[in-house]
Amino acid sequence: MKTTSSRRAFVRAFVAGSAAAGARQLRAQPAGRVAGFDHVALPMQNSDAMIAFYRALGFEMTEGATAVSVYVGFQMINFHRPTLWQNASFTLRAPAAKPPCGDLCFVWDGSAESLKTMLDRAGAKIELGPAPRPGGRRKTGSSVYVRDPDGNLLEFMIYP
């Protein structure tokens, strides 16, 4: 009887300790530091082609008068329409930002074959890949590179 109770207590303590250690490892940065990206903003030239392309890639989007927001998980890309980024009074941007100025890497959660199918459907021409590349997850993935209609470089990385 005492052995069962001790075993249960040990298992409970082990599970609780493991969960606490795992929670500490999941936290990207200690409190009071940068925790991650919220969004990136890029100017776009060909609004209609860009919207069609990113929709064909399967992204959720919202369109506004001055920007198009493309949602990537809990982050987003704001593509500023020409009427915004070409306006001299719009100064909340990099002064030299003109299309194409983006180099974005997305994590693909699927196989290389399903990535190729999606890129073909969107009309994207593969420039390079698959090729091994170091990634933000601090390990090597397999990357494929394409360009969007404005010429921004898009990388799709598959982690093992």
Side-chain angles (χ1 to χ4, degrees):
M1 195 104 164
K2 198 163 190 125
T3 306
T4 305
S5 177
S6 298
R7 201 173 299 144
R8 284 186 189 146
F10 171 77
V11 169
R12 272 193 222 113
F14 179 77
V15 169
S18 296
R24 282 191 300 273
Q25 289 176 342
L26 289 175
R27 193 171 185 184
Q29 297 286 338
R33 292 189 180 183
V34 173
F37 283 101
D38 182 77
H39 70 278
V40 174
L42 298 172
M44 76 174 152
Q45 186 65 49
N46 188 341
S47 298
D48 292 339
M50 291 283 282
I51 291 166
F53 180 78
Y54 282 89
R55 279 215 166 99
L57 292 178
F59 288 105
E60 291 182 30
M61 304 169 68
T62 55
E63 295 183 50
T66 59
V68 175
S69 297
V70 176
Y71 297 95
V72 184
F74 290 108
Q75 294 81 38
M76 74 178 169
I77 306 166
N78 278 334
F79 285 107
H80 294 159
R81 294 183 187 269
T83 54
L84 180 62
W85 68 265
Q86 291 175 351
N87 185 334
S89 67
F90 179 60
T91 58
L92 292 176
R93 65 178 186 89
K98 293 180 180 170
C101 63
D103 183 346
L104 306 170
C105 180
F106 302 103
V107 175
W108 179 255
D109 187 20
S111 67
E113 295 77 23
S114 65
L115 173 60
K116 181 163 181 359
T117 299
M118 186 269 303
L119 293 173
D120 288 345
R121 186 178 60 242
K125 180 182 170 243
I126 295 175
E127 288 198 5
L128 179 70
R133 293 289 186 263
R137 294 182 178 180
R138 299 177 188 206
K139 57 185 180 179
T140 300
S142 177
S143 292
V144 172
Y145 296 84
V146 302
R147 294 203 181 263
D148 69 17
D150 273 356
N152 296 300
L153 184 66
L154 307 182
E155 177 182 356
F156 292 87
M157 182 173 281
I158 300 172
Y159 284 103

